[in-house]
Amino acid sequence: AFGTAIAVLVYTVAPISGGHLNPAVTSSLWLIGEVDTLTALSYIMTQFIAAATGVAIVWGCMANDTVSTAQDDAPPFLLGSNFVRPDVHLGSAFLIEAMGTFLLV
């Protein structure tokens, strides 16, 4: 569901913003010369600021909804946690991510 949502978002806003949804996309477009250095840096800084703002908003909304976990090093809640399921090999997960990045960039 996450990947599909990102794909829909990219294809929806790409005609308007060029699809610069994260620093990986912006860096890739900068590397191939589609975006000049100053624009790429301003996009990346804006993306980091927007991400930090989004995290703060989600944290503020969910701070009271903690999940008790058996592990001491686990996050207080798993909202937005990305991980590879135990039944998926790391090589397969890497290939899936690489294919998704290729399609988006």
Side-chain angles (χ1 to χ4, degrees):
F2 179 75
T4 303
I6 294 295
V8 169
L9 183 62
V10 167
Y11 286 110
T12 302
V13 301
I16 299 166
S17 71
H20 295 267
L21 295 180
N22 64 35
V25 173
T26 302
S27 299
S28 298
L29 292 172
W30 173 74
L31 283 173
I32 64 172
E34 293 291 323
V35 178
D36 64 276
T37 302
L38 184 59
T39 302
L41 288 175
S42 64
Y43 279 11
I44 290 170
M45 289 304 300
T46 302
Q47 291 159 351
F48 277 119
I49 291 168
T53 303
V55 166
I57 291 169
V58 170
W59 184 266
C61 292
M62 302 299 293
N64 292 330
D65 296 338
T66 58
V67 175
S68 61
T69 60
Q71 300 172 349
D72 291 333
D73 61 342
F77 54 86
L78 300 176
L79 182 64
S81 295
N82 290 327
F83 59 93
V84 178
R85 291 188 341 219
D87 60 329
V88 176
H89 295 287
L90 289 178
S92 298
F94 179 80
L95 183 60
I96 291 167
E97 288 292 327
M99 288 173 20
T101 302
F102 176 78
L103 290 173
L104 291 175
V105 175

